[in-house]
Amino acid sequence: MWYDGFLDLPPWQLIIVTLLLTHLTVVSVTVYLHRYSAHRALDLHPAVKHFFRLWLWLATGMNTREWTAVHRKHHARCETPEDPHSPRHKGLANVLWRGAELYKAEAANAETLRIYGKNCPDDWIERQVYSRFPNGGATLMLLIDLALFGVLGLTVWAVQMMWIPFWAAGVVNGLGHAVGYRNFECRDAATNLVPWGILIGGEELHNNHHTYPGSAKLSVRAWEFDMGWAWIRLLVLLGLAEVRRTAPVAHRVAGKRHLDMDTARALLNNRFQIMAHYRNRVIAPQVRMEEARAEASVRHLFRRAKGLLARETSLLEARQQARIHSLLEQSQTLRVVYERRLALQQIWNRTSANGQELLAAIGTWIHEAEASGIQSLREFAEHLKTYSLRPAATLA
């Protein structure tokens, strides 16, 4: 019958088909729009690029140049009033429920497109079809869904149209800057929502992405999974993609005990991992020790102190700064550990320094850490000397 559609699928099969269709849209967004178009972390075969463009026109109506420009501006102006969808300035509820509207509003800004929309498709089909008829694809998709699935095709189509606006524009851009865990203390509030990037193709690993925006792979820990990266690896295997960049690998040379230029450059290159190690190897054990020694009346100050003392300082609120001040008043050792962390962070911020200045600054930091008398800090200083830009096998 006409109301069952050409395929006449039972409900359970219709659910599976709907999830597959939405997943295809997710792959198109994360692989093509995000990692390829916005960040150029990989190259794609022309046929693959055009398939993604066609599918996105059908399933979302999104324009490559507009999406790319808005996302690039988000990175360039992250957590500032100019950020197109920062929960800090737009409000979390506003971004969560009206994320797609915020995208559309910024996409209408000609200046944003001019500055951030470079190197995007501008061929005949883009000008005469995709950009000229932005709602034509969604209308055609509705007709296809109705023909294939009958009356329930309207539901399939509605889910397709809502998937990206809710999960990507809302959840990732909203909750991904408000809740979750942080592997790295990058300069914005991006968080990893969960360690398994499946529903949104890896975009759930938002803190990892903001730390290494040019990486084609969004997972960095062994227990994290990036579905988008799995698809990229498949495309590479088929000769349809080529990875250009991933997050830097921190190489260590066992037994290395001296600081040289190779070590200094490796430390700068892997500074986010270094600071994560500092949080876990220096701050965390020292907080546990000081909490065990503290009087019961002030022990509450040490709860979640590890994350607080490792937090990017520009993201600290007034109440958090006050708590850090109270915490450091209770322990001279923690004060030294915290000040050493700020000093190390300052070295990374001096990216304009030449190699010799960088080497001297790191050498001074290591000397002061070794002279601190704090065991975990001394061990960390020794740990820093083992880094290298190259694997140990290539140094032999």
Side-chain angles (χ1 to χ4, degrees), residues 107-123:
N109 186 338
E111 191 70 1
T112 295
L113 299 183
R114 184 185 67 82
I115 296 174
Y116 300 103
K118 295 179 174 62
N119 301 316
C120 290
D122 190 32
D123 51 15

Side-chain angles (χ1 to χ4, degrees), residues 191-363:
T191 62
N192 294 329
L193 295 173
V194 292
W196 312 288
I198 299 174
L199 280 177
I200 329 173
E203 299 297 326
E204 296 93 329
L205 299 167
H206 205 50
N207 173 251
N208 296 353
H209 170 61
H210 270 258
T211 303
Y212 300 109
S215 175
K217 182 182 180 184
L218 304 190
S219 58
V220 295
R221 303 301 185 199
W223 39 269
E224 293 175 337
F225 176 73
D226 173 11
M227 179 64 81
W229 176 247
W231 280 107
I232 290 171
R233 295 304 300 164
L234 177 61
L235 291 173
V236 170
L237 185 64
L238 296 174
L240 299 174
E242 180 182 354
V243 175
R244 298 179 63 183
R245 291 184 300 275
T246 57
V249 176
H251 298 294
R252 294 183 58 211
V253 180
K256 190 169 184 286
R257 293 290 182 269
H258 63 281
L259 180 67
D260 53 23
M261 189 62 71
D262 175 58
T263 306
R265 289 172 177 162
L267 293 176
L268 180 63
N269 197 43
N270 296 284
R271 57 192 179 277
F272 290 106
Q273 294 99 317
I274 297 297
M275 299 310 296
H277 288 319
Y278 191 87
R279 175 187 63 204
N280 296 326
R281 297 186 179 196
V282 180
I283 295 177
Q286 207 59 52
V287 166
R288 288 194 295 269
M289 291 175 58
E290 295 302 309
E291 182 179 13
R293 298 171 183 168
E295 298 180 0
S297 60
V298 296
R299 199 165 293 164
H300 67 281
L301 292 174
F302 293 86
R303 296 187 193 125
R304 299 181 180 177
K306 180 186 81 169
L308 194 60
L309 293 176
R311 184 74 164 171
E312 162 63 36
T313 53
S314 64
L315 300 176
L316 290 170
E317 300 175 358
R319 59 181 179 82
Q320 293 174 318
Q321 293 174 346
R323 185 177 173 189
I324 289 176
H325 179 73
S326 300
L327 188 64
L328 299 185
E329 283 187 333
Q330 302 298 321
S331 170
Q332 178 60 29
T333 301
L334 277 185
R335 179 180 294 277
V336 172
V337 165
Y338 185 66
E339 289 174 348
R340 289 291 84 209
R341 181 228 144 193
L342 295 181
L344 188 57
Q345 185 71 56
Q346 186 61 33
I347 293 175
W348 312 141
N349 293 340
R350 292 167 53 193
T351 54
S352 60
N354 61 41
Q356 290 299 327
E357 290 177 348
L358 175 65
L359 182 62
I362 294 175

Side-chain angles (χ1 to χ4, degrees), residues 361-377:
I362 294 175
T364 300
W365 191 95
I366 289 177
H367 174 74
E368 293 174 353
E370 291 174 333
S372 67
I374 301 173
Q375 184 64 25
S376 61
L377 197 51

Side-chain angles (χ1 to χ4, degrees), residues 32 50 53-54 57 62-66 120-136:
Y32 171 70
H50 191 76
R53 287 168 63 192
L54 173 62
W57 180 66
M62 291 191 299
N63 176 278
T64 299
R65 186 182 180 215
E66 292 175 355
C120 290
D122 190 32
D123 51 15
W124 182 90
I125 197 169
E126 186 71 36
R127 295 191 302 271
Q128 301 301 322
V129 180
Y130 299 153
S131 296
R132 187 176 180 182
F133 304 105
N135 297 321

